[in-house]
Amino acid sequence: MKYFLYVLIACCVLVTTSNATTQTGLELIKPKIVGGELASQDQWPWMSALVSTYNDISTSLELSGIEYKTTYFTNGPAGTVSALLVDCGIGDNQCEQTTNKICLIARGEVDFSVKVNNCQAGGGIGAIIFNNVTGHLNGTLGEDFTGNIPVVGISQLDGAALLNQLNSMATIAVAAQSTLVQSSSCGASFIGEKWLITAAHCLEDANINFLKVNVGEYDLSNGANNAKAIRRIYIHPNYNDGIAFDNDIALIELVDTIVHPAVTLVDLDTSRQLALVNSAATVIGWGNRTAYGASDEPPANDQPDKLHQVELTLLSNELCKEKLAQAYSVFQNANILPEQVGLTDSMICANYLGGGKGSCQGDSGGPLLVNTNLGWQQIGIVSYGIGCASADFPGVYARVGKFTQWINNITTGIAIDPIHVFAITPQNTAQTTSLTVSNNSDFTANLTFTLLTDSTSSGFSVDSDECTTLAAKQSCQLQVDFDAATSGQHNAQIIIQSNDINIPTSHAVISAEAIAANSAINTQLSNGSTELLWFSGGDQPWLLDNTESAIISGDINDNQQSAVLLTFSGAGSLSFEWSVSAEENTDNPDEPYDGLFLFVDGKQVNFISGEVPYTPVTLADLTASDHQILWLYQKDDLTSAGKDQGALRNVVFTPTAIIPPPPATTPTTKKSGGSIGYLSLLIFALLPFRYRAVKNSR
């Protein structure tokens, strides 16, 4: 059963910019449109894109009537040229027979600037550099680049295609000035006024200062200026990104209400009826367009700028469970039962008979649509899948009919920030936060707030004075406190009630973990210092390793963590050595499977994963305040590797030396007032020093 859970996690979607393959061989994917066709520009006016916008130099490449996706090289010259294409290898020497031609150059071994200069020295008037690994090429020609021919970058796949079209006429262009462009991460659907729905996994750790929404988007290559600012995000409070992506839905509230066509949602009963009769459904998005199976290596990225669509068939959950169980059983050579596949009532499946068509990488959060007697309506949200458009593994979508009440509660009633996780807290330490409560109804509401905890949780309290009476369209701050009197994991719900039964309400989920003082670690690592206090806990506390005069993380299972925390006060530097032996994500090292993470005063600043021997680290310039340094060994839901532990030793805090002011000297003159005048100058000279010291302590 445990091994099966590995597989189920592998199918789930993460919001990353690259694919990752799990150790089971099943592909971890973001959904995309595969085997579809170009959508009509005006057919899906509610379709929206989650985007980041930035200034960039626009580039282009056209050859034989085909436009290829290109990237800009920093410090590259502007210009537009049309000429025959010639192969220049990796550009390590002056390219021959390139007079008045465009050089096609492979990435590898030689600096980009050298490649371009070798092209120009041979008479080339433009250069195209293609990648030697999967994905598009990003690079710089350097601040000292002196060439003057335009240069663009393309993918490895497109480079291979161009090698088959040598001596064809190509046109490349590099703009002289930057323009605002956008990069899409997920899709979304506009449901009216200032609200959109998307997948919860698209918004984990999202920063609304950088993320925007382009409502009614069709072509991502233009329209970045139309992107709308986000006011608030509401991830479903029961969203589960663990064993299965359950309740994978979120609401986005825009800063401003807009007038725009909106999609309507299929109710729960209708969604079940449509699935039972295997109704046709259409999924749309900007995702990759190449299918691959669960065991295959992911293909090169092929995400279009223009919206695509594909028609699929809905499946009942019973049929989908059977198909998934059969596919898992074959893949794992094990007997997987339908009830073990993790499909819940909040999900709905769709596939294409024979495979080759479906949603996959890049389409997360976008709509699954059905054409009913009320017109096009949304029945699902692109959530997760295994492989891409596989005949064996149906795609899984969040069933929007399951969430219509929750959506209504947020958009027309009392909404609250749905999830808050307090930082790991030393025992007997208090934390506080504020959750925003908004009255999205048209009426003033008198509100009460109740904490609902389980039998083992305690320490939470709320101060609702500011939110007792809340006018229509107004917000307030609900203060939530956690007093870590008892170690362990603590969970609670904040239930909101309104005096008006016509004003719906929502709830929030809060959690905190308190860890206990550890005298054994104090003795091992503090060397008698009373300034350093150690705490440890989590699913298992850290342990002593006397052979190394070190401490090691506890023996935890999948999806667990072991924490050790150091508290001290004052300015100075902290040095230590850390080590880890853990499962490493070699495909994407920036997103480790298991690893040892470092947090400084609540912010993650570093991590190590894989096989890392003891390595020294120094945290310099710590300010004169209270500090909490947390080392967290954390495991994902997958397999283990190596010793499966982190280690720590030689922890030393070095306070900043305080330089005393120079002593006052006795004046040699005894004239009346002489000494007073001298001391006045001394006091004024010392004031800036003292002010800086006070300021740094804040």
Side-chain angles (χ1 to χ4, degrees), residues 15 28 73 89 95 163 179-180 211 245 266 279 330 370 384 399 413 559 590 633 641 656 667 695:
V15 187
L28 185 66
F73 282 87
C95 196
L163 284 171
T179 56
L180 189 68
L211 186 67
F245 272 33
V266 174
S279 294
V330 171
V370 290
Y384 72 87
R399 188 189 296 261
N559 203 30
D590 291 334
Y633 185 72
T656 300
K695 185 177 181 181

Side-chain angles (χ1 to χ4, degrees), residues 217-557:
E217 185 56 289
Y218 175 75
D219 187 348
L220 294 172
S221 66
N222 56 52
N225 290 305
N226 299 324
K228 309 293 184 184
I230 296 173
R231 180 188 300 277
R232 198 164 287 115
I233 288 170
Y234 297 93
I235 292 177
H236 195 281
N238 301 122
Y239 166 60
N240 176 11
D241 64 348
I243 294 175
F245 272 33
D246 205 10
N247 303 304
D248 191 10
I249 185 172
L251 279 162
I252 296 174
E253 180 186 7
L254 301 178
V255 170
D256 299 312
T257 298
I258 62 174
V259 178
H260 193 87
V263 68
T264 59
L265 308 180
V266 174
D267 64 70
L268 183 59
D269 288 341
T270 302
S271 72
R272 290 169 175 162
Q273 294 170 11
L274 292 172
L276 282 173
V277 296
N278 304 125
S279 294
T282 299
V283 63
I284 55 180
W286 294 275
N288 207 338
R289 295 171 291 186
T290 306
Y292 61 96
S295 304
D296 300 334
E297 285 293 322
N301 189 32
D302 181 30
Q303 292 185 221
D305 286 327
K306 294 181 179 179
L307 188 66
H308 277 59
Q309 66 187 54
V310 68
E311 186 170 302
L312 306 174
T313 300
L314 296 177
L315 302 177
S316 69
N317 275 22
E318 290 70 22
L319 178 57
C320 187
K321 288 177 182 178
E322 291 177 3
K323 290 178 70 69
L324 288 174
Q326 183 179 10
Y328 287 137
S329 297
V330 171
F331 189 87
Q332 295 181 198
N333 193 26
N335 183 28
I336 306 302
L337 301 177
E339 57 266 25
Q340 294 177 299
V341 300
L343 199 71
T344 72
D345 290 342
S346 69
M347 305 170 187
I348 189 171
C349 299
N351 73 344
Y352 181 79
L353 185 63
K357 295 185 179 183
S359 61
C360 204
Q361 186 178 12
D363 288 328
S364 290
L368 178 69
L369 301 152
V370 290
N371 197 355
T372 71
N373 57 3
L374 298 176
W376 285 103
Q377 293 186 284
Q378 184 166 350
I379 194 170
I381 298 172
V382 180
S383 183
Y384 72 87
I386 297 177
C388 225
S390 169
D392 300 319
F393 293 93
V396 182
Y397 303 76
R399 188 189 296 261
V400 296
K402 187 74 173 180
F403 304 102
T404 51
Q405 184 61 54
W406 175 74
I407 294 171
N408 182 67
N409 291 353
I410 297 291
T411 59
T412 66
I414 308 299
I416 184 173
D417 291 337
I419 302 171
H420 181 77
V421 180
F422 285 94
I424 292 178
T425 309
Q427 192 173 355
N428 299 319
T429 302
Q431 286 194 60
T432 187
T433 191
S434 293
L435 303 183
T436 300
V437 180
S438 299
N439 184 354
N440 293 317
S441 78
D442 295 321
F443 309 97
T444 296
N446 293 321
L447 304 175
T448 57
F449 298 84
T450 304
L451 276 170
L452 183 63
T453 62
D454 57 41
S455 58
T456 61
S457 296
S458 62
F460 295 111
S461 61
V462 296
D463 182 350
S464 60
D465 289 348
E466 187 180 330
C467 298
T468 301
T469 300
L470 191 57
K473 311 303 180 185
Q474 298 299 308
S475 297
C476 63
Q477 297 299 310
L478 178 72
Q479 181 176 312
V480 183
D481 299 310
F482 174 64
D483 185 358
T486 305
S487 63
Q489 181 70 38
H490 301 269
N491 304 288
Q493 292 187 52
I494 300 175
I495 307 299
I496 306 175
Q497 292 177 307
S498 169
N499 66 312
D500 187 340
I501 60 173
N502 296 312
I503 302 177
T505 60
S506 58
H507 72 278
V509 173
I510 55 176
S511 62
E513 184 168 1
I515 58 177
N518 193 310
S519 58
I521 295 177
N522 272 2
T523 301
Q524 182 84 306
L525 297 184
S526 295
N527 297 317
S529 172
T530 58
E531 299 174 311
L532 308 180
L533 294 177
W534 290 88
F535 301 80
S536 186
D539 295 294
Q540 291 289 338
W542 282 52
L543 308 170
L544 301 185
D545 180 5
N546 292 317
T547 61
E548 297 278 356
S549 296
I551 58 173
I552 58 174
S553 58
D555 185 15
I556 58 175
N557 296 319

Side-chain angles (χ1 to χ4, degrees), residues 39-308:
S40 171
Q41 183 163 2
D42 301 321
Q43 188 172 4
W44 318 110
W46 52 79
M47 183 61 188
S48 305
L50 305 187
V51 299
S52 57
T53 59
Y54 54 95
N55 286 302
D56 194 20
I57 301 292
S58 63
T59 60
S60 64
L61 163 63
E62 188 272 335
L63 189 145
S64 300
I66 300 175
E67 294 182 2
Y68 293 84
K69 185 172 182 178
T70 57
T71 53
Y72 169 70
F73 282 87
T74 305
N75 301 310
T80 300
V81 295
S82 296
L84 297 179
L85 195 64
V86 60
D87 182 11
C88 288
I90 63 170
D92 53 343
N93 295 295
Q94 179 175 313
C95 196
E96 304 297 333
Q97 300 180 341
T98 57
T99 301
N100 295 323
K101 294 182 180 179
I102 293 176
C103 305
L104 180 62
I105 307 172
R107 179 184 182 182
E109 300 181 15
V110 184
D111 288 346
F112 295 131
S113 59
V114 174
K115 296 174 184 288
V116 178
N117 283 332
N118 284 336
C119 170
Q120 187 169 350
I125 60 174
I128 303 168
I129 303 177
F130 62 91
N131 213 346
N132 57 359
V133 295
T134 301
H136 282 82
L137 183 61
N138 291 297
T140 179
L141 298 178
E143 296 181 358
D144 299 328
F145 181 69
T146 58
N148 56 24
I149 64 174
V151 186
V152 300
I154 60 174
S155 69
Q156 182 183 38
L157 182 66
D158 289 342
L162 263 59
L163 284 171
N164 293 321
Q165 301 183 65
L166 298 175
N167 297 315
S168 298
M169 183 66 66
T171 299
I172 63 173
V174 178
Q177 294 182 332
S178 64
T179 56
L180 189 68
V181 297
Q182 61 187 353
S183 174
S184 175
S185 57
C186 280
S189 302
F190 182 69
I191 59 173
E193 295 187 345
K194 55 181 179 179
W195 298 99
L196 298 99
I197 56 173
T198 187
H201 75 258
C202 287
L203 297 175
E204 289 182 282
D205 303 319
N207 187 332
I208 62 174
N209 294 317
F210 300 103
L211 186 67
K212 295 183 178 181
V213 181
N214 213 324
V215 180
E217 185 56 289
Y218 175 75
D219 187 348
L220 294 172
S221 66
N222 56 52
N225 290 305
N226 299 324
K228 309 293 184 184
I230 296 173
R231 180 188 300 277
R232 198 164 287 115
I233 288 170
Y234 297 93
I235 292 177
H236 195 281
N238 301 122
Y239 166 60
N240 176 11
D241 64 348
I243 294 175
F245 272 33
D246 205 10
N247 303 304
D248 191 10
I249 185 172
L251 279 162
I252 296 174
E253 180 186 7
L254 301 178
V255 170
D256 299 312
T257 298
I258 62 174
V259 178
H260 193 87
V263 68
T264 59
L265 308 180
V266 174
D267 64 70
L268 183 59
D269 288 341
T270 302
S271 72
R272 290 169 175 162
Q273 294 170 11
L274 292 172
L276 282 173
V277 296
N278 304 125
S279 294
T282 299
V283 63
I284 55 180
W286 294 275
N288 207 338
R289 295 171 291 186
T290 306
Y292 61 96
S295 304
D296 300 334
E297 285 293 322
N301 189 32
D302 181 30
Q303 292 185 221
D305 286 327
K306 294 181 179 179
L307 188 66
H308 277 59

Side-chain angles (χ1 to χ4, degrees), residues 579-626:
S579 166
V580 75
S581 176
E583 179 199 14
E584 183 180 13
N585 183 354
T586 56
D587 292 325
N588 190 358
D590 291 334
E591 296 183 359
Y593 293 142
D594 303 342
L596 181 57
F597 298 81
L598 172 65
F599 295 79
V600 177
D601 298 331
K603 295 181 179 179
Q604 182 184 324
V605 298
N606 203 355
F607 73 87
I608 50 177
S609 183
E611 296 296 330
V612 181
Y614 276 108
T615 304
V617 175
T618 298
L619 304 175
D621 301 323
L622 295 171
T623 59
S625 58
D626 295 334

